[in-house]
Amino acid sequence: MDSVRPEPSVVYLMEEWYWDLYSVGYGFLDSASREQQASILRRNRKMGKLPPVFPNGWFAIAESSEVKHGSVIYKSALGENFAVFRSKNGVCHVLDAYCPHVGANMAVGGRVFDDCLECPFHGWRFSGTTGKCVSLPFMDKSINGSNEIPENGSDIGHFNIVHGASLLAGNDLRYSERDWLKFFRHTWSAEWNGPLDTCNSHIAHATAEHKIIFFGTFSLFTTQIEIFQYGPGYVTFSVETSLGTVLMLQTVTPVEPLLQKIVHRIYSHPILFIYAPLILKAECIMVERDIMIWNHKKYLDNPLLLKTDKTIAKFRRWYSQFYSDNSPLLADINAMKW
């Protein structure tokens, strides 16, 4: 028999080189704050009359090996942010990272379905080939309604997308919601009713109903929730359960621009000493799911809203009363730092 001669193997050698600041002309700077001083020098340098900062053409956004089948990664280049994902059949696509609905970052928490990318906030799906929205989740037309923390309560549309998965799935639904966790889900219906009256225009009222559905059929553990929002930073939740009432208080305090501190406090009758902490733990997990989206989304002044999102616009009009002509803008605060 003739022996089979193996094909010679091919070895690709890949090296990565990095240059320190000495190598690129910044060695004269004080070593203790070299990076900061280099940044200042770049901003203050006289650049002359430059051509457009980005030419038109093809550019490398990501290495193919970075984008696994059925996964999405976040990339920044050319002054933009991109969601790069690979469909199940191996084709790579690049979309703007931010959903045009209300600005969620689809590269962080988004999920791949066929050749589409699904927004983690409201479940809108976008074709990787055309970039067009090809699917919207079912929304209950009976619901009266569909920055970010106060507005979240008026955004009814995200409840069953973000908060429908089992608590056991944790806060990152891309990796933690397995098939065995889908035997029960949370379902929500809610109404954001707006200000109480003209004399108490700073107080907004909302109601919600929460159920746990087992195997898509059996409904257990129904709770009724009444919510009052006192201005931009204080919210009360009265949770009516079959075991009694639990009161939860939420404070939201701006620490600095784009950084806020959230505190939850819970009160109940001593007989609920086991149940009440479970409610608090559940609230923490649900808020962590929101935080994952808030930390990466883009604020859209004119979001692409549906008829079922009308309470978002209504909320923004209500919330605008808490700003004045003297309220500082982000640009003003950044300028003050220098």
Side-chain angles (χ1 to χ4, degrees), residues 29-293:
L29 297 176
D30 178 28
S31 59
S33 57
R34 188 176 294 124
E35 288 80 3
Q36 182 180 5
Q37 291 193 42
S39 178
I40 295 173
L41 283 175
R42 284 196 300 270
R43 286 198 299 270
N44 294 338
R45 192 177 79 183
K46 292 184 178 180
M47 304 300 294
K49 187 175 181 180
L50 295 173
V53 291
F54 303 122
N56 299 322
W58 294 100
F59 298 94
I61 301 297
E63 297 290 335
S64 180
S65 59
E66 295 180 84
V67 192
K68 309 301 181 185
H69 282 64
S71 69
V72 57
I73 61 173
Y74 180 35
K75 287 290 181 178
S76 295
L78 306 170
E80 302 289 345
N81 295 317
F82 300 102
V84 183
F85 70 99
R86 190 185 297 275
S87 64
K88 298 296 178 63
N89 61 6
V91 178
C92 265
H93 301 285
V94 180
L95 296 177
D96 189 303
Y98 300 108
C99 178
H101 182 207
V102 290
N105 191 328
M106 299 187 292
V108 182
R111 289 182 281 187
V112 177
F113 290 86
D114 298 324
D115 67 339
C116 297
L117 183 61
E118 182 184 271
C119 174
F121 207 6
H122 297 91
W124 290 29
R125 292 184 184 178
F126 297 87
S127 166
T129 303
T130 66
K132 294 182 178 180
C133 181
V134 296
S135 175
L136 296 175
F138 171 78
M139 291 186 176
D140 186 353
K141 298 301 186 295
S142 67
I143 295 176
N144 296 333
S146 11
N147 100 147
E148 304 292 354
I149 298 173
E151 184 175 284
N152 204 61
S154 68
D155 183 5
I156 310 301
H158 89 285
F159 279 22
N160 288 309
I161 301 296
V162 177
H163 304 299
S166 162
L167 287 173
L168 300 176
N171 60 359
D172 191 341
L173 303 182
R174 291 176 297 174
Y175 308 119
S176 55
E177 189 181 19
R178 308 303 183 198
D179 291 337
W180 68 273
L181 291 175
K182 294 181 180 179
F183 71 94
F184 81 85
R185 292 183 62 83
H186 306 273
T187 62
W188 302 84
S189 60
E191 294 183 6
W192 190 82
N193 303 313
L196 285 178
D197 50 56
T198 55
C199 295
N200 296 285
S201 61
H202 66 289
I203 305 175
H205 177 255
T207 57
E209 181 181 79
H210 166 257
K211 295 180 180 180
I212 296 180
I213 306 296
F214 287 88
F215 302 104
T217 304
F218 307 104
S219 173
L220 295 175
F221 305 114
T222 299
T223 58
Q224 304 291 335
I225 308 169
E226 187 170 29
I227 305 161
F228 290 94
Q229 180 167 349
Y230 299 84
Y234 181 56
V235 186
T236 66
F237 302 82
S238 179
V239 184
E240 297 290 339
T241 75
S242 57
L243 301 177
T245 302
V246 174
L247 179 64
M248 183 163 57
L249 310 180
Q250 180 193 73
T251 58
V252 180
T253 305
V255 179
E256 60 181 66
L258 307 180
L259 180 63
Q260 301 187 68
K261 178 181 178 181
I262 310 177
V263 176
H264 290 89
R265 296 177 176 87
I266 197 163
Y267 301 89
S268 71
H269 191 280
I271 198 173
L272 300 176
F273 73 97
I274 293 179
Y275 186 57
L278 292 178
I279 293 181
L280 182 59
K281 178 63 176 177
E283 171 69 7
C284 291
I285 292 174
M286 292 300 186
V287 171
E288 285 174 353
R289 293 180 185 178
D290 288 317
I291 290 174
M292 180 176 173
I293 295 172

